[in-house]
Amino acid sequence: MAGRFVRSSKYRHVFGRSTKKELCYDNLRISRNAWDSNIIKANPEYLSVNWEAGGGGAFAVIPLNETGKLPERMPLFRGHTAAVLDTDWSPFDDSVIASGSEDGKVFIWQVPENFTLMTGEEEEPVDVEPLIKLAGHARKVGHVLFHPTAQNVLATSSGDFTVKLWDVNTGQSNHTLTHGETIQSMSWSGNGSLLVTTCRDKKLRIWDPRQQAVAHEVAGHGGAKNSRAVWMTGDVGGDKIATTGFSAKADRQLGHWDLKNLSEGPVRGFQQLDSISGVCMPFWDESTKCLYLAGKGDGNIRYFEFENDDFIFLSEYKSADPQRGVAFLPKRGVNVTENEVMRGFKTVNDAYIEPISFIVPRRAETFQSDIYPDAAAGKAALNAEEWFEGKDAEPITMSLESLYDSEAANRPPQSAGNTHTPQQSVSGAGAFSSPTSTNSPRPSVSAASTAPVDSPREVVFRPRAPTMKAAAPPAVVKAATPTPAAAPAPAPAPVAAAPAKADPLIADQLAKITALLEAQNASLTNQSEQIKAQSAQISQQSEQIKVQSDIIKGQSEQIKSQSEQIVSQGEQIKTQSEQIKAQSERIESQTEQINVQSEQIKKQNAQIQELTKEVDTLKEKVEKVNVGNTDSAPTTVVVGNEELEEEGRKKDEIIRKLELELEEARS
């Protein structure tokens, strides 16, 4: 891993910079719903947050410039009858947002003009109501996602195992993508002609949404936990997808797929990340070709650069504060004068949201075109009717240099020493103010864009001028930044003028002092280089320690799992032993009963034998009597025979009864 850092890359030194608590968005009641969504979404003007609200569902909208501790009572976006599960901002209107809820409904909202949370103490906050209500799903709506190039086209996924495509203008959905299980994530291709979804059945599907048909379907990650997919848009080819998920052994994985060879599985197989149990949320930045991975339940955000069909690890923003929700700004919202290439927002302990600025640390007084290629301009290339009829168009792009010019025009002169270091925290609100301001012109569309621009169809939203937020003066940021101690550097200035009038001895002393200062500066520079090298070594050692700790943690998890399996098997063996013991006792009881019945049968057999002998004896007597009878005593013989026959009949009945009882006992 360490060897990869020597490669040439503009983004090899991208650093995540944290924010002081007072400049975060504090005093929040973030929803604790267990549905797997990103919880928060961001655009250049606002943050949206799924809210823990009683008596129905709600979410909050926070202007980006209103940092610090938010008021206890604030206006909420209310209307759903159950918890809000996901929101998404329109890419073409920063005041329009969609929401999905457990009540199975999808609502479209518009942020009121001059919206603020800072109402007066005596003023009661007024909740915002939805403009449009879309009904069609049979169960909860877990994800909402606007189309990247067509105005007012919205995709929604639901617990009814379907994705619906809506024309927000008409409020109708005539396209449904049916899955076999719960949809876990979805992402549009660059021009919005295709849609990728991940599902609980562990399948990765590429849809032709207007045909309502699956174009490709392959087996995804093998683990049982949720997987995510994001389309790698931009000039990487337009046919690549990044996925995060879990292996069958519950290890977190990263993979990327090429649509040209989708059936062959992920390119170069899945890359194992770690053994942490939280779902990994992927965010793709097409401008820098970087992928950001934020894990739920941990506080870190690692980022990779995509090059030569491989993800190259760059670095990792580390934090001890766990996160459940993460969002990133569109590129037109970053601060280009600070060389900020991405800005993220993470929830912290479900209590506040912290901004994180990812910067390339350079000292430059001009626009850095090499790290800021053209980006999406926030303009629609199609309207909904055109897209549903089958038209496609690439996103309209803009040059970010227009943002630099507008920000630089409003920025007071700065001291050359006031530069940010990667480890330095933001100390002023200006670093996270919106790039649009009352004095800034609207960003111009790049002339290089060849996408057709048609007049958009009239939408249902009422006209509204964009709310402009005045950025705090950047001088506040710079004033709080410590200036490096380089005061002795100007000292040589008088030396040049001194020899004309000063004594040679003084001039010699000044020269010695100058040489001494130069030597000290060289020594300090050398020490700085040594400290830098030591820092790099410490960083590498930290990475190695982290890898080892992750391995140990994974082994501990495996040992724990095996111990739980052994305990479970012991419980099963104990239960089976008790069942066997009970069966043995029943068998012993039945054996005793059989023995008793056998004894009874033996007795009955003995009785039958005795009776049989008696009958035989009687028969012999009868025969003797019959043989010895004479004609003189017939009456006596007859009488004796009748008595013998009667006695024989009685004994025969007894024998028959005993035989019947014997048969019953045997059965």
mmCIF file of all heavy atoms in Angstrom, residues 95-116:
data_model
loop_
_atom_site.group_PDB
_atom_site.id
_atom_site.type_symbol
_atom_site.label_atom_id
_atom_site.label_comp_id
_atom_site.label_asym_id
_atom_site.label_seq_id
_atom_site.Cartn_x
_atom_site.Cartn_y
_atom_site.Cartn_z
ATOM 1 N N SER A 95 -34.131 25.105 -4.453
ATOM 2 C CA SER A 95 -35.211 25.262 -3.480
ATOM 3 C C SER A 95 -36.237 24.134 -3.554
ATOM 4 O O SER A 95 -37.195 24.134 -2.790
ATOM 5 C CB SER A 95 -35.930 26.599 -3.702
ATOM 6 O OG SER A 95 -36.628 26.589 -4.940
ATOM 7 N N VAL A 96 -36.066 23.182 -4.454
ATOM 8 C CA VAL A 96 -37.040 22.092 -4.643
ATOM 9 C C VAL A 96 -36.455 20.795 -4.087
ATOM 10 O O VAL A 96 -35.304 20.452 -4.368
ATOM 11 C CB VAL A 96 -37.407 21.921 -6.129
ATOM 12 C CG1 VAL A 96 -38.304 20.703 -6.329
ATOM 13 C CG2 VAL A 96 -38.099 23.179 -6.629
ATOM 14 N N ILE A 97 -37.259 20.080 -3.306
ATOM 15 C CA ILE A 97 -36.805 18.847 -2.672
ATOM 16 C C ILE A 97 -37.949 17.836 -2.661
ATOM 17 O O ILE A 97 -39.123 18.202 -2.562
ATOM 18 C CB ILE A 97 -36.300 19.129 -1.228
ATOM 19 C CG1 ILE A 97 -35.694 17.865 -0.614
ATOM 20 C CG2 ILE A 97 -37.397 19.706 -0.353
ATOM 21 C CD1 ILE A 97 -34.979 18.125 0.709
ATOM 22 N N ALA A 98 -37.593 16.555 -2.800
ATOM 23 C CA ALA A 98 -38.559 15.455 -2.739
ATOM 24 C C ALA A 98 -38.316 14.651 -1.468
ATOM 25 O O ALA A 98 -37.196 14.585 -0.960
ATOM 26 C CB ALA A 98 -38.428 14.548 -3.965
ATOM 27 N N SER A 99 -39.374 14.010 -0.964
ATOM 28 C CA SER A 99 -39.251 13.191 0.243
ATOM 29 C C SER A 99 -40.053 11.906 0.071
ATOM 30 O O SER A 99 -41.091 11.887 -0.592
ATOM 31 C CB SER A 99 -39.751 13.955 1.477
ATOM 32 O OG SER A 99 -41.139 14.245 1.367
ATOM 33 N N GLY A 100 -39.558 10.815 0.687
ATOM 34 C CA GLY A 100 -40.265 9.538 0.735
ATOM 35 C C GLY A 100 -40.448 9.122 2.176
ATOM 36 O O GLY A 100 -39.604 9.403 3.032
ATOM 37 N N SER A 101 -41.558 8.416 2.459
ATOM 38 C CA SER A 101 -41.922 8.165 3.849
ATOM 39 C C SER A 101 -42.435 6.748 4.057
ATOM 40 O O SER A 101 -42.752 6.023 3.105
ATOM 41 C CB SER A 101 -42.993 9.179 4.288
ATOM 42 O OG SER A 101 -43.598 8.815 5.503
ATOM 43 N N GLU A 102 -42.516 6.373 5.337
ATOM 44 C CA GLU A 102 -43.099 5.086 5.712
ATOM 45 C C GLU A 102 -44.587 5.004 5.359
ATOM 46 O O GLU A 102 -45.144 3.906 5.312
ATOM 47 C CB GLU A 102 -42.923 4.845 7.210
ATOM 48 C CG GLU A 102 -41.551 4.330 7.594
ATOM 49 C CD GLU A 102 -41.489 3.893 9.042
ATOM 50 O OE1 GLU A 102 -42.430 4.202 9.790
ATOM 51 O OE2 GLU A 102 -40.509 3.246 9.437
ATOM 52 N N ASP A 103 -45.230 6.140 5.148
ATOM 53 C CA ASP A 103 -46.652 6.119 4.802
ATOM 54 C C ASP A 103 -46.892 5.750 3.334
ATOM 55 O O ASP A 103 -48.045 5.720 2.887
ATOM 56 C CB ASP A 103 -47.320 7.459 5.133
ATOM 57 C CG ASP A 103 -46.704 8.640 4.358
ATOM 58 O OD1 ASP A 103 -45.935 8.401 3.401
ATOM 59 O OD2 ASP A 103 -46.993 9.792 4.734
ATOM 60 N N GLY A 104 -45.819 5.461 2.571
ATOM 61 C CA GLY A 104 -45.964 5.058 1.176
ATOM 62 C C GLY A 104 -46.155 6.209 0.211
ATOM 63 O O GLY A 104 -46.382 5.984 -0.981
ATOM 64 N N LYS A 105 -46.038 7.453 0.669
ATOM 65 C CA LYS A 105 -46.265 8.626 -0.174
ATOM 66 C C LYS A 105 -44.940 9.293 -0.539
ATOM 67 O O LYS A 105 -43.931 9.170 0.155
ATOM 68 C CB LYS A 105 -47.160 9.640 0.542
ATOM 69 C CG LYS A 105 -48.513 9.102 0.966
ATOM 70 C CD LYS A 105 -49.374 8.728 -0.221
ATOM 71 C CE LYS A 105 -50.824 8.453 0.199
ATOM 72 N NZ LYS A 105 -50.934 7.324 1.137
ATOM 73 N N VAL A 106 -44.967 10.033 -1.656
ATOM 74 C CA VAL A 106 -43.846 10.845 -2.111
ATOM 75 C C VAL A 106 -44.346 12.277 -2.236
ATOM 76 O O VAL A 106 -45.339 12.533 -2.932
ATOM 77 C CB VAL A 106 -43.295 10.348 -3.467
ATOM 78 C CG1 VAL A 106 -42.143 11.228 -3.933
ATOM 79 C CG2 VAL A 106 -42.851 8.896 -3.368
ATOM 80 N N PHE A 107 -43.678 13.221 -1.567
ATOM 81 C CA PHE A 107 -44.088 14.623 -1.590
ATOM 82 C C PHE A 107 -42.998 15.465 -2.244
ATOM 83 O O PHE A 107 -41.803 15.173 -2.109
ATOM 84 C CB PHE A 107 -44.350 15.152 -0.182
ATOM 85 C CG PHE A 107 -45.581 14.579 0.479
ATOM 86 C CD1 PHE A 107 -45.856 14.825 1.819
ATOM 87 C CD2 PHE A 107 -46.481 13.796 -0.233
ATOM 88 C CE1 PHE A 107 -46.982 14.309 2.426
ATOM 89 C CE2 PHE A 107 -47.614 13.269 0.363
ATOM 90 C CZ PHE A 107 -47.861 13.526 1.703
ATOM 91 N N ILE A 108 -43.439 16.520 -2.940
ATOM 92 C CA ILE A 108 -42.536 17.521 -3.521
ATOM 93 C C ILE A 108 -42.759 18.831 -2.775
ATOM 94 O O ILE A 108 -43.898 19.264 -2.585
ATOM 95 C CB ILE A 108 -42.797 17.718 -5.026
ATOM 96 C CG1 ILE A 108 -42.807 16.365 -5.751
ATOM 97 C CG2 ILE A 108 -41.758 18.647 -5.625
ATOM 98 C CD1 ILE A 108 -41.498 15.607 -5.695
ATOM 99 N N TRP A 109 -41.644 19.463 -2.354
ATOM 100 C CA TRP A 109 -41.706 20.673 -1.535
ATOM 101 C C TRP A 109 -40.894 21.784 -2.198
ATOM 102 O O TRP A 109 -40.013 21.521 -3.012
ATOM 103 C CB TRP A 109 -41.115 20.429 -0.147
ATOM 104 C CG TRP A 109 -41.530 19.153 0.514
ATOM 105 C CD1 TRP A 109 -41.167 17.882 0.165
ATOM 106 C CD2 TRP A 109 -42.369 19.021 1.661
ATOM 107 N NE1 TRP A 109 -41.736 16.972 1.015
ATOM 108 C CE2 TRP A 109 -42.474 17.635 1.948
ATOM 109 C CE3 TRP A 109 -43.029 19.929 2.485
ATOM 110 C CZ2 TRP A 109 -43.210 17.145 3.019
ATOM 111 C CZ3 TRP A 109 -43.769 19.447 3.559
ATOM 112 C CH2 TRP A 109 -43.856 18.077 3.819
ATOM 113 N N GLN A 110 -41.198 23.025 -1.800
ATOM 114 C CA GLN A 110 -40.375 24.159 -2.209
ATOM 115 C C GLN A 110 -40.034 24.982 -0.973
ATOM 116 O O GLN A 110 -40.912 25.318 -0.164
ATOM 117 C CB GLN A 110 -41.076 25.041 -3.235
ATOM 118 C CG GLN A 110 -40.172 26.147 -3.776
ATOM 119 C CD GLN A 110 -40.723 26.772 -5.041
ATOM 120 O OE1 GLN A 110 -41.927 26.945 -5.164
ATOM 121 N NE2 GLN A 110 -39.850 27.110 -5.977
ATOM 122 N N VAL A 111 -38.743 25.266 -0.817
ATOM 123 C CA VAL A 111 -38.301 26.068 0.322
ATOM 124 C C VAL A 111 -38.800 27.500 0.129
ATOM 125 O O VAL A 111 -38.597 28.093 -0.942
ATOM 126 C CB VAL A 111 -36.765 26.047 0.425
ATOM 127 C CG1 VAL A 111 -36.306 26.859 1.633
ATOM 128 C CG2 VAL A 111 -36.257 24.615 0.515
ATOM 129 N N PRO A 112 -39.459 28.068 1.135
ATOM 130 C CA PRO A 112 -39.971 29.443 0.977
ATOM 131 C C PRO A 112 -38.846 30.440 0.736
ATOM 132 O O PRO A 112 -37.691 30.235 1.134
ATOM 133 C CB PRO A 112 -40.664 29.709 2.322
ATOM 134 C CG PRO A 112 -40.949 28.362 2.891
ATOM 135 C CD PRO A 112 -39.837 27.475 2.420
ATOM 136 N N GLU A 113 -39.187 31.521 0.085
ATOM 137 C CA GLU A 113 -38.215 32.575 -0.180
ATOM 138 C C GLU A 113 -37.746 33.190 1.131
ATOM 139 O O GLU A 113 -38.525 33.355 2.077
ATOM 140 C CB GLU A 113 -38.850 33.645 -1.081
ATOM 141 C CG GLU A 113 -37.858 34.648 -1.609
ATOM 142 C CD GLU A 113 -38.493 35.568 -2.633
ATOM 143 O OE1 GLU A 113 -39.689 35.388 -2.921
ATOM 144 O OE2 GLU A 113 -37.789 36.456 -3.133
ATOM 145 N N ASN A 114 -36.446 33.503 1.204
ATOM 146 C CA ASN A 114 -35.827 34.069 2.410
ATOM 147 C C ASN A 114 -36.038 33.170 3.626
ATOM 148 O O ASN A 114 -36.211 33.645 4.755
ATOM 149 C CB ASN A 114 -36.384 35.469 2.694
ATOM 150 C CG ASN A 114 -36.112 36.438 1.555
ATOM 151 O OD1 ASN A 114 -35.038 36.399 0.951
ATOM 152 N ND2 ASN A 114 -37.085 37.275 1.239
ATOM 153 N N PHE A 115 -35.995 31.858 3.414
ATOM 154 C CA PHE A 115 -36.224 30.901 4.499
ATOM 155 C C PHE A 115 -35.080 30.979 5.515
ATOM 156 O O PHE A 115 -33.905 31.029 5.151
ATOM 157 C CB PHE A 115 -36.299 29.487 3.925
ATOM 158 C CG PHE A 115 -36.519 28.424 4.956
ATOM 159 C CD1 PHE A 115 -37.761 28.243 5.531
ATOM 160 C CD2 PHE A 115 -35.469 27.607 5.357
ATOM 161 C CE1 PHE A 115 -37.962 27.257 6.477
ATOM 162 C CE2 PHE A 115 -35.659 26.618 6.304
ATOM 163 C CZ PHE A 115 -36.919 26.446 6.876
ATOM 164 N N THR A 116 -35.440 30.991 6.792
ATOM 165 C CA THR A 116 -34.458 31.045 7.866
ATOM 166 C C THR A 116 -34.993 30.311 9.082
ATOM 167 O O THR A 116 -36.215 30.169 9.259
ATOM 168 C CB THR A 116 -34.115 32.501 8.233
ATOM 169 O OG1 THR A 116 -33.155 32.490 9.296
ATOM 170 C CG2 THR A 116 -35.354 33.253 8.677
#
